[in-house]
Amino acid sequence: MMNKVGSKHTARMFLYIFLYVLAIVWIFPFFWLVRSSLMDLGQIFRYPPQFIPNPFKWENYKDALTSLPFGRYLMNTFVIVIGSVSGMLVSTSLSAYGLSRVQWRGREVVFAIIMTSVMLPYFATLIPNFIIWKTIGLTNTYVPLVLPAWFGVGTSSVFGGGMFNIFLLRQFFRSIPRELDEAAIVDGAGHLQVFAKIILPLSRPALICVGLFTFLNTWNDFIGPLIYLNGETKYTLQLGLRTFLGLYSAQWHLLMAASTVVVIPVIILFLFGQRYFIEGIATSGLKG
Amino acid sequence: MSGIRSQIPSSGMKCKTISDQRHETAAGVLFTLPAMIGYICFAAVPMIVSLILSFTNYSVARPFKFVGLHNYIRLFSGEDHFFYQAVKVTLYLTVLNVPACILISLLLALLLNNKIRGWKTLRVVYYLPTVIPQVATSVIWMWIMSPDFGILNYVLKLAGLPTSQWLFGEKTVIPSFVIIAVWTSGNIMTVFLAGIQDVPRSLYEAMDIDGGGTLEKTFYVTLPIISPTIFFNLVMHTIATLQAVLQAFVITQGGPNNASLLYVYYLYREAFEFDNLGGSCAIAWVLFFGVAAVTLVFFKTSGKWVFFGGER
């Protein structure tokens, strides 16, 4: 009996060691990124590698950020992100309401059709979309990057894509007790009032989740801006980083500094909103 | 009291008139309009446009004409030898990447479920890489996997193990992509973990009475109960991997010697570098049917191993 308890303890100890060591391995690339961003070229190629920069070269950040107009790229990215997040919140919440709280014939069919868009390869629609935007003459503007969000279409087809958001919100709206709307309708409220005064205020966590995912996907989007934008003044951060990679491919310290700048806001956002990210992914995955 | 109140609206529902129903339909359609317009304008119409263009030689530079099945014949006849290379590379990546990501994520989720102290923090740590922009992820790993100066080869050398060319070797580039993909598969683990935590406790208690240990519980309770979650992850991750592109884009440009010519990168190159938009529409349609076929196979075989609870 004693022995069994003992072996259980050893197993648990190994479990802890394994999971925590693995967590360090998982974090290591971030550490290496920041460490390399604070070294000069001499230190970075030293053998054996140093783990802590000595001295800390904070100038790398200045050099990296002034070599390309990153301030401008940041502003451009913000314009696209804000346009997309607000559009996505409005369009997917309205649609999810229509697909969950209003009774109408054909609702389930419409929902099923919209859900099939997860099967469409992103590039299969991207090329004809590009051709259409080019024909209208709106390439090299932010319209092709922002307008789809106002119609519930995102930059990703899986997590955080438009149909994912509609699915998530619909799931959430359905969990709100129906008596609340019915009581309001008896009191003479219309659907718009029920939507704005009952459903939206009760769905804050789900809306935050949609907002965070859309922020992240737009901030991280590379292919969309690459295809639609060709003037360097219109570039986003991701395109800037790619250009930087082409220009300074051997300047690892500057490359790491530029990457750190692109990564930090995302990490901060994630750490603040991680509950919403993880719950959003978990619920949609389960009921998928 | 609440019972009485909840009866009022339902009795109101019964005397709904036809005009009420029309009103409801109008409201439903109006609310859903954004998504319907979005689906029509940004998915359905583009797909039709793409289908038509796939039978033309459309490009930005040339006047265009219908060429019949030429674009498709060119692919399958091997006239464009990059096509089969791209298919081969993509299938190779999928066959390595999907099992690796699914198995490792599943294992991590099972281990994290053991009432580990700090499991929420660990979950955040394992999830973190998935939120990083892929361009930055690519830059970080290019540096770590650098053949001459990378920390990875340094550690291998220290341990007396053979080093590798990683992203710059013909044989190692796809396995290197898989390593990066495993690092960024935290969302799969999160879905698994949520599924595992939903398994009814009573089932484990029944196993305790029968004297089953951790392994028996995992194989006879947890895995069968979460098989729909495994299925969901398998389908989604396969679809995503078939369309993976970014590392080929940022790191290798399909090289060395086309060893990482992922299908979507080949599609992009044909469309935007070789200005063969018509041909690239055909390439996209082949991808669409490929993805649809794989999904169909998953769903057809799912009845044999996925446990759908009371639903079937």
Side-chain angles (χ1 to χ4, degrees):
Chain A
M1 196 65 197
M2 250 339 262
N3 216 350
K4 202 177 172 190
V5 171
S7 78
K8 233 181 172 166
H9 266 287
T10 336
R12 247 188 123 61
M13 206 178 70
F14 274 114
L15 187 63
Y16 270 91
I17 292 173
F18 176 75
L19 286 173
Y20 277 92
V21 168
L22 197 66
I24 293 170
V25 172
W26 235 248
I27 287 287
F28 181 79
F30 294 108
F31 165 71
W32 207 242
L33 166 75
V34 176
R35 165 264 186 202
S36 309
S37 76
L38 291 168
M39 291 182 150
D40 62 29
L41 266 187
Q43 292 179 54
I44 217 173
F45 290 126
R46 193 161 299 159
Y47 206 85
Q50 292 177 297
F51 278 74
I52 306 293
N54 178 33
F56 283 83
K57 289 273 289 178
W58 296 101
E59 303 94 281
N60 287 346
Y61 283 85
K62 213 183 104 212
D63 294 348
L65 293 181
T66 48
S67 59
L68 283 176
F70 274 103
R72 182 174 200 113
Y73 299 161
L74 180 71
M75 286 312 295
N76 295 344
T77 309
F78 264 121
V79 170
I80 300 174
V81 164
I82 290 168
S84 302
V85 170
S86 42
M88 188 63 89
L89 283 172
V90 172
S91 62
T92 55
S93 58
L94 282 171
S95 303
Y97 182 88
L99 290 168
S100 61
R101 307 299 281 201
V102 189
Q103 310 288 342
W104 50 290
R105 264 168 55 127
R107 184 179 83 178
E108 297 311 306
V109 177
V110 168
F111 178 66
I113 292 174
I114 291 172
M115 286 301 114
T116 60
S117 60
V118 74
M119 291 262 302
L120 296 181
Y122 178 61
F123 258 84
T125 52
L126 188 68
I127 290 170
N129 272 322
F130 168 79
I131 294 170
I132 293 169
W133 287 117
K134 194 161 180 69
T135 313
I136 308 174
L138 283 173
T139 45
N140 205 25
T141 71
Y142 297 143
V143 177
L145 297 170
V146 172
L147 196 68
W150 287 87
F151 296 96
V153 176
T155 52
S156 146
S157 59
V158 194
F159 292 120
M163 75 95 220
F164 166 89
N165 293 335
I166 293 174
F167 182 86
L168 189 80
L169 289 175
R170 179 175 170 270
Q171 207 73 22
F172 200 92
F173 291 174
R174 289 210 306 190
S175 71
I176 297 170
R178 218 157 244 296
E179 284 78 16
L180 291 174
D181 325 10
E182 283 163 2
I185 288 175
V186 167
D187 287 345
H191 275 299
L192 265 181
Q193 278 144 307
V194 173
F195 172 69
K197 298 217 170 108
I198 295 174
I199 302 295
L200 285 189
L202 287 174
S203 308
R204 264 190 42 175
L207 291 169
I208 292 175
C209 181
V210 168
L212 286 175
F213 268 114
T214 311
F215 184 101
L216 203 65
N217 280 335
T218 321
W219 178 277
N220 291 356
D221 188 21
F222 170 71
I223 305 275
L226 176 76
I227 280 164
Y228 287 117
L229 306 175
N230 42 40
E232 271 198 33
T233 53
K234 295 236 165 65
Y235 270 17
T236 62
L237 277 180
Q238 305 306 324
L239 286 186
L241 186 58
R242 212 301 194 90
T243 311
F244 197 85
L245 176 63
L247 293 175
Y248 300 94
S249 57
Q251 312 258 43
W252 285 107
H253 56 315
L254 297 184
L255 210 48
M256 291 295 134
S259 304
T260 307
V261 171
V262 174
V263 164
I264 293 273
V266 174
I267 293 189
I268 293 174
L269 185 80
F270 170 67
L271 290 181
F272 275 106
Q274 43 109 351
R275 185 165 76 88
Y276 299 101
F277 279 103
I278 286 176
E279 273 169 20
I281 293 247
T283 40
S284 60
L286 279 182
K287 277 131 196 165
Chain B
M1 186 60 196
S2 67
I4 295 169
R5 200 182 275 168
S6 68
Q7 271 171 9
I8 300 167
S10 63
S11 64
M13 288 292 168
K14 264 180 209 155
C15 47
K16 234 182 190 178
T17 60
I18 290 170
S19 91
D20 270 347
Q21 270 175 24
R22 277 207 193 125
H23 185 80
E24 282 293 284
T25 304
V29 171
L30 279 178
F31 270 103
T32 318
L33 211 52
M36 289 199 260
I37 294 176
Y39 185 82
I40 293 169
C41 292
F42 300 111
V45 168
M47 286 308 275
I48 296 167
V49 170
S50 156
L51 184 63
I52 296 169
L53 288 179
S54 75
F55 299 110
T56 71
N57 67 350
Y58 186 84
S59 76
V60 177
R62 286 188 304 261
F64 87 107
K65 60 172 198 279
F66 279 89
V67 293
L69 285 171
H70 173 79
N71 286 330
Y72 292 93
I73 293 168
R74 190 174 143 260
L75 296 181
F76 287 105
S77 68
E79 190 187 326
D80 179 0
H81 64 273
F82 290 124
F83 172 73
Y84 283 113
Q85 176 66 15
V87 170
K88 205 178 84 190
V89 168
T90 308
L91 289 180
Y92 178 45
L93 176 74
T94 309
V95 166
L96 281 189
N97 189 39
V98 174
C101 289
I102 298 281
L103 286 177
I104 292 172
S105 305
L106 183 59
L107 182 70
L108 275 180
L110 285 169
L111 293 180
L112 275 182
N113 190 44
N114 281 310
K115 293 195 196 110
I116 297 290
R117 211 169 289 164
W119 69 272
K120 280 192 171 167
T121 314
L122 287 172
R123 185 174 66 169
V124 169
V125 168
Y126 293 136
Y127 186 81
L128 189 60
T130 64
V131 302
I132 302 303
Q134 280 188 298
V135 182
T137 306
S138 304
V139 175
I140 298 173
W141 282 95
M142 277 168 86
W143 175 225
I144 290 176
M145 290 177 163
S146 158
D148 300 322
F149 306 105
I151 181 77
L152 190 53
N153 271 352
Y154 172 75
V155 170
L156 288 175
K157 226 181 278 173
L158 218 58
L161 293 166
T163 59
S164 164
Q165 288 295 105
W166 299 115
L167 295 157
F168 306 95
E170 237 177 273
K171 288 224 170 70
T172 50
V173 57
I174 293 292
S176 302
F177 282 1
V178 174
I179 292 175
I180 303 176
V182 167
W183 187 62
T184 51
S185 60
N187 45 10
I188 304 176
M189 182 210 68
T190 307
V191 176
F192 275 137
L193 192 56
I196 293 169
Q197 289 173 340
D198 256 16
V199 177
R201 290 217 55 77
S202 56
L203 294 175
Y204 294 120
E205 281 153 15
M207 275 308 255
D208 277 334
I209 294 166
D210 294 346
T214 313
L215 273 184
E216 284 89 349
K217 280 181 193 164
T218 305
F219 280 100
Y220 297 116
V221 178
T222 316
L223 292 182
I225 296 284
I226 66 161
S227 55
T229 311
I230 301 179
F231 179 69
F232 169 83
N233 275 335
L234 202 55
V235 172
M236 294 304 248
H237 199 54
T238 305
I239 294 178
T241 306
L242 289 171
Q243 301 175 51
V245 66
L246 224 102
Q247 281 131 19
F249 235 113
V250 177
I251 306 179
T252 62
Q253 281 89 47
N257 193 19
N258 294 312
S260 65
L261 186 72
L262 294 178
Y263 193 88
V264 172
Y265 183 70
Y266 161 66
L267 169 59
Y268 166 86
R269 205 171 65 171
E270 204 66 28
F272 296 103
E273 281 177 21
F274 303 154
D275 190 22
N276 177 13
L277 288 168
S280 71
C281 287
I283 298 171
W285 271 93
V286 173
L287 174 64
F288 174 67
F289 279 112
V291 170
V294 170
T295 316
L296 195 70
V297 168
F298 273 127
F299 275 92
K300 285 276 173 204
T301 55
S302 68
K304 294 203 177 77
W305 63 274
V306 181
F307 174 73
F308 284 105
E311 287 166 39
R312 279 206 176 173

